[in-house]
């Protein structure tokens, strides 16, 4: 103990006596600071991202078929949708998984992508007019219905007039070869009084002409990608407590329907002018950007200023007059052209933006359809089935939803929710309703499948004139699926109103299942035990963690940690070399001191211990300084939070701000690394110090 006390006294005395020690201490200080702050930030981001993935769609664990060719990737892979084998009957799998004492809930699901079309403004208006004429055909004409028909008809005529004006303006920029004469002819016909005078004689034929020849000339309809999850919607909402309904209502239990993500609804289905205004406001309010300095904001302003067509085509003659009057009042102008008034109104600056934003929603928005789809509308979804053919279904939109804290996250926001029965049908599996339709069609048509060996007799035998025959090879064609393409649009009217039992929902295919655990700390153990349980039950299942199920997104923080650790490794390798060289210089400067200590009886072990203790103490003191500064930085960041500068970071931060925390593990890791590097870098200089003899010390010059 006395020797240790002496070594500590010598070490403290020499701590700040040399500039070399200050250099070594500075390296250790900043290395410790990097390990503490970088490690804590990545650990906090890992924790936040896990909350995002677990709380949105993945759960703690995911199970899927072990026959799958690809790995599960809930957010899509680099080459599109993963090729997964289906779980044939979820009702067989659920009891096996729920039997585990750490499993709280199991939710069936399947992820896929599709295309939807929002339709252009002319399409939507013509659809409204067609519905009115259908209503008249079914219920007869009334004064209110007649007024509605006349109003929408006037709107269509105004749109045709606007289209002709737009074409005339653009004709100067287009060569004659670029103008389709058939389109010009069709537009000219739709502008004549003769066409509209005879419209009532056969309104459906006239509407067909407008839909086929006029509507395609307005290219403002969007073909949109849609990513969706088919699931037991009621169970999903109970399980994922971050989910909340924003607009409309939940899909009634057991019914077919869809919930659109609020993010998707706002960013892809909203009037583009309104969306740009919302984006500008968000950037100004949250990120403190200015229109006069930010190119992106300037581009949005320019697009609003030069692209008012979407608004012009929405307004019928009455609403057009109202919009002109309101804009004239707001702008203090006597301009009669709505297009020019809109252009002036939407020319926003930092000085007038907030006022114009409020005026847009107060004066113009009530006259417009801000969204191309509304709650209660039927959405047509078109997708490729598992066998490669195209399938379409109509699903009612009941509402929009979002995950609390992830409102602005594009990764969580692109996921829409669909009922499991509709998902199965869209994915290419026959529902009980579809099977019943096929059976009824086979019965009514007399169609039957025969073996290839008996085909000739069936075709040319005595009863061939009374039977429609479909040749089939056993094992290659499933007769229950032979009519799927032909029946793509064959649906019973009561299909949307049917209520499915929980048993019907669970007795069918799923692509995967999300598992919520009671104790997430036992994730690895539970995962292994579930693998064993599924194998014992004869189920070929893969059980993976949320991080594996998320695909590349789940590996993001792991990659970031590897980059950090590699950077720390490089820094400390450099530090080791620098410290080693510095200690070599320091040892050479202390030859007389070491020789004198040897001359008065100091052993080589004492000299070795002295050099090591000095370096370790140096590392400890400056390491503590770096750790304290790192702790202060993390405390400040934990209180203020780190803002998510873009929508991608909302997902990784699990909200608009990341509130990082510092764990004891970060501090321990920093100290272990610092002390090891300090000790290792000192071994060789300390060994040289032990080789100094008293004779060398006396022969050394001052």
């Amino acid at each position: 103990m006395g020797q240790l006390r002496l070594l500590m006294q010598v070490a403290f005395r020499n701590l700040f006596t040399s500039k070399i020690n200050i250099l070594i201490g500075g390296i250790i200080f900043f290395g410790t600071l990097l390990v503490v702050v970088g490690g804590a930030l990545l650990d906090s981001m890992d924790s936040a991202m896990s909350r995002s993935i677990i709380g949105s769609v993945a759960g703690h664990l995911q199970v899927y078929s072990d026959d799958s060719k690809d790995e599960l990737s809930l957010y899509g892979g680099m080459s599109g949708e993963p090729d997964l084998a289906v779980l044939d009957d979820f009702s067989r799998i659920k009891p096996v998984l729920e039997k585990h004492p750490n499993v709280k809930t199991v939710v069936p699901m399947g992820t896929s992508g599709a295309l939807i079309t929002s339709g252009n403004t002319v399409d939507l208006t013509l659809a409204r007019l067609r519905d009115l004429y259908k209503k008249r055909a079914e219920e007869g004409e009334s004064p209110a219905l007649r007024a509605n028909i006349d109003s929408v008809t006037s709107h269509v005529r105004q749109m045709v007039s606007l289209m002709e004006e737009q074409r005339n303006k653009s004709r100067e920029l287009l060569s004659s070869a670029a103008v389709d004469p058939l389109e010009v002819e069709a537009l000219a016909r739709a502008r004549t009084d003769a066409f509209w005078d005879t419209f009532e004689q056969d309104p459906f034929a006239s509407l067909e002409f407008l839909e086929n020849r006029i509507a395609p000339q307005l290219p403002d309809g969007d073909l949109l990608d849609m990513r969706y999850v088919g699931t037991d919607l009621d169970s999903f909402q109970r399980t994922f407590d971050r989910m909340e309904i924003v607009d409309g209502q939940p899909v009634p239990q057991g019914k077919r329907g869809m919930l659109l993500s609020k993010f998707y609804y706002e960013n892809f289905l909203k009037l583009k002018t309104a969306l740009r205004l919302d984006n500008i406001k968000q950037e100004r309010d949250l990120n403190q950007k200015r229109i006069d300095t930010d190119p992106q904001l300037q581009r949005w302003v320019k697009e609003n200023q030069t692209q008012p067509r979407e608004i012009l085509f929405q307004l019928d003659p009455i609403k057009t007059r109202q919009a002109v009057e309101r804009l004239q009042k707001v702008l203090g102008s006597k301009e009669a052209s709505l297009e020019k008034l809109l252009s002036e109104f939407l020319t926003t600056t930092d000085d007038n933006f907030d006022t114009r934003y409020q005026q847009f929603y107060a004066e113009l928005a009530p006259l417009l359809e801000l969204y191309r789809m509304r709650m209660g509308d039927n959405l047509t979804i078109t997708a490729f089935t598992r066998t490669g053919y195209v399938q379409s279904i109509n699903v009612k939109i009941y509402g929009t939803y979002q995950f609390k804290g992830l409102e602005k996250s594009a990764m969580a926001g692109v996921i829409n929710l669909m009922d499991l029965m509709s998902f199965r049908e869209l994915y290419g599996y026959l529902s009980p309703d579809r099977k019943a339709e096929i059976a009824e069609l086979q019965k009514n048509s007399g169609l039957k499948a025969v073996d290839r060996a008996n085909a000739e007799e069936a075709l040319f035998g005595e009863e061939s004139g009374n039977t429609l025959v479909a040749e089939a090879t056993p094992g290659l064609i499933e007769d229950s699926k032979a009519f799927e393409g032909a029946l793509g649009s064959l649906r019973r009217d009561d299909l949307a109103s049917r209520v499915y039992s929980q048993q019907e929902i669970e007795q069918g295919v799923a692509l995967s299942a999300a598992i919520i655990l009671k104790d997430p700390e036992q994730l690895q153990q539970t995962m292994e035990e579930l693998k064993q349980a599924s194998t014992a039950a004869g189920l070929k299942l893969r059980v993976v963690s949320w991080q594996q199920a998320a695909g590349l997104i789940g590996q993001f923080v792991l990659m970031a940690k590897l980059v950090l650790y590699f950077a720390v490794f490089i820094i400390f390798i450099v530090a080791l070399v620098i410290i080693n060289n510095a200690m070599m210089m320091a040892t050479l400067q202390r030859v007389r001191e070491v020789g004198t200590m040897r001359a008065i009886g100091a052993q080589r072990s004492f000299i070795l211990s002295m050099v090591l203790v000095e370096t370790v103490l140096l590392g400890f003191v400056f390491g503590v300084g770096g750790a304290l500064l790192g702790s202060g930085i993390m405390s400040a960041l934990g209180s203020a939070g780190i803002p998510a500068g873009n929508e991608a970071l909302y997902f990784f931060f699990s909200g608009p701000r990341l509130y990082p925390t510092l764990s004891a593990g970060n501090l321990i890791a920093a100290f272990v690394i610092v002390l090891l590097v300090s000790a290792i870098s000192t071994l060789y200089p300390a060994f040289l110090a032990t080789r100094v003899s008293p004779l060398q010390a006396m022969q050394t010059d001052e």
Side-chain angles (χ1 to χ4, degrees), residues 136 414 525:
R136 189 183 72 170
V414 297
Q525 178 183 345

Side-chain angles (χ1 to χ4, degrees), residues 217 382 459 487 532 584:
Q217 297 188 42
T382 302
L459 286 170
L487 293 173
Q532 297 173 7
M584 290 279 291

Side-chain angles (χ1 to χ4, degrees), residues 389-660:
Y389 69 86
V390 176
Q391 174 73 299
S392 295
I393 63 170
N394 292 324
V395 186
K396 182 178 179 180
I397 301 172
Y398 277 89
T400 65
Y401 83 99
Q402 65 188 14
F403 295 108
K404 287 178 282 189
L406 299 176
E407 295 86 354
K408 298 296 182 180
S409 168
M411 292 183 185
V414 297
I415 298 176
N416 302 281
L417 299 179
M418 177 190 296
D419 74 278
L420 197 54
M421 305 302 289
S422 297
F423 173 83
R424 289 168 181 161
E425 189 172 323
L426 192 59
Y427 198 68
Y429 282 87
L430 293 180
S431 65
D433 303 308
R434 200 76 176 273
K435 289 180 180 178
E437 290 175 10
I438 292 174
E440 184 177 354
L441 183 60
Q442 288 178 320
K443 178 181 178 181
N444 294 337
S445 63
L447 183 65
K448 66 178 182 179
V450 298
D451 294 339
R452 184 181 297 274
N454 301 324
E456 184 175 350
E457 181 181 352
L459 286 170
F460 304 107
E462 296 180 0
E463 299 180 0
S464 61
N466 300 323
T467 306
L468 180 61
V469 177
E471 181 180 319
T473 302
L476 295 181
I477 299 177
E478 297 181 44
D479 63 339
S480 63
K481 297 177 183 178
F483 303 97
E484 286 193 80
L487 293 173
S489 59
L490 180 60
R491 318 303 305 137
R492 292 198 302 273
D493 292 338
D494 63 344
L495 194 61
S497 60
R498 180 179 169 185
V499 178
Y500 296 88
S501 67
Q502 190 64 29
Q503 184 178 10
E504 287 178 298
I505 294 173
E506 294 183 357
Q507 284 183 341
V509 301
L511 292 186
S512 66
I515 300 175
I516 301 296
L517 302 180
K518 297 175 183 177
D519 182 8
E521 298 295 326
Q522 300 181 26
L523 186 145
Q524 289 296 330
Q525 178 183 345
T526 304
M527 188 164 62
E528 294 301 322
E529 291 172 352
L530 287 177
K531 290 179 182 177
Q532 297 173 7
S534 63
T535 302
L539 303 174
K540 299 173 64 177
L541 299 178
R542 294 182 200 173
V543 186
V544 297
S545 68
W546 63 267
Q547 199 165 33
Q548 294 170 279
L552 291 177
I553 295 175
Q555 306 303 317
F556 174 82
V557 173
L558 177 61
M559 293 298 297
K561 283 185 177 180
L562 291 177
V563 170
L564 173 68
Y565 294 151
F566 181 75
V568 169
F569 175 76
I570 295 299
I571 289 172
F572 278 111
I573 288 294
V574 174
L576 189 148
V577 174
I578 295 175
I579 293 173
N580 182 272
N581 291 335
M583 291 303 298
M584 290 279 291
M585 295 173 59
T587 302
L588 293 175
Q589 291 176 358
R590 299 172 63 185
V591 168
R592 288 177 60 84
E593 177 187 346
V594 173
T596 302
M597 294 176 68
R598 291 294 311 280
I600 62 176
Q603 300 297 314
R604 288 183 176 180
S605 59
F606 179 84
I607 300 301
L608 179 64
S609 300
M610 180 187 72
V611 177
L612 288 174
V613 169
E614 286 184 11
T615 307
V616 171
L617 180 63
L618 186 69
F620 179 79
V621 171
F622 282 92
V624 168
L628 288 175
L629 179 59
S631 300
I633 292 174
M634 293 309 300
S635 177
L637 292 176
S639 299
I642 304 173
N646 55 62
E647 292 174 349
L649 288 179
Y650 272 84
F651 189 78
F652 295 116
F653 288 5
S654 194
R657 303 182 81 85
L658 175 67
Y659 295 94

Side-chain angles (χ1 to χ4, degrees), residues 277 322-323 326-327 330 345 354-368 370:
L277 289 172
Q322 292 175 335
R326 295 180 184 186
L327 289 177
V330 165
F345 177 76
D354 290 332
T355 301
R356 294 284 171 86
Y357 183 83
Q358 295 175 358
Q359 290 170 340
F360 175 84
Y361 279 99
E363 302 293 339
L364 287 181
L367 303 176
L368 302 169
L370 289 182

Side-chain angles (χ1 to χ4, degrees), residues 241 244 516 623:
D241 55 6
E244 59 182 4
I516 301 296

Side-chain angles (χ1 to χ4, degrees), residues 234-255:
D234 191 58
S235 177
F236 187 95
Q237 188 169 359
R238 290 197 310 268
T239 300
F240 295 94
D241 55 6
R242 295 183 68 168
M243 175 186 169
E244 59 182 4
I245 302 298
V246 183
D247 306 306
Q249 66 178 67
V251 178
Q253 186 172 1
K255 295 192 69 173

Side-chain angles (χ1 to χ4, degrees), residues 90-205:
F90 175 72
S91 64
R92 289 183 57 229
I93 298 169
K94 183 179 179 181
V96 175
L97 299 176
E98 288 186 333
K99 189 181 297 183
H100 192 283
N102 195 33
V103 172
K104 184 178 180 180
T105 53
V106 183
V107 183
M109 60 178 54
T111 58
S112 190
L115 293 175
I116 65 169
T117 177
S118 61
N120 66 33
T121 309
V122 179
D123 278 326
L124 296 174
T125 307
L126 291 175
R128 287 170 52 202
L129 188 57
R130 180 179 288 276
D131 289 341
L132 291 173
Y133 276 111
K134 284 182 179 179
K135 185 176 181 180
R136 189 183 72 170
E138 295 171 357
E139 303 176 4
E141 186 171 300
S142 65
L145 183 59
R146 181 72 257 172
N148 283 336
I149 290 176
D150 290 342
S151 175
V152 179
T153 301
S154 298
H155 189 188
V156 174
R157 295 192 67 172
Q158 178 166 301
M159 286 192 291
V160 172
S161 178
L162 286 170
M163 290 175 67
E164 189 173 53
E165 290 179 16
Q166 296 268 340
R167 179 176 290 278
N168 292 336
K169 289 180 181 179
S170 61
R171 189 169 295 173
E172 299 177 0
L173 303 176
L174 298 174
S175 64
S176 57
V179 179
D180 187 343
L182 294 178
E183 290 186 356
V184 174
E185 179 186 351
L187 201 57
R189 178 187 169 191
R191 283 277 287 142
T192 61
D193 292 334
F195 174 80
W196 294 101
D197 289 341
T198 59
F199 192 90
E200 285 288 329
Q201 297 176 10
D202 191 354
F204 293 107

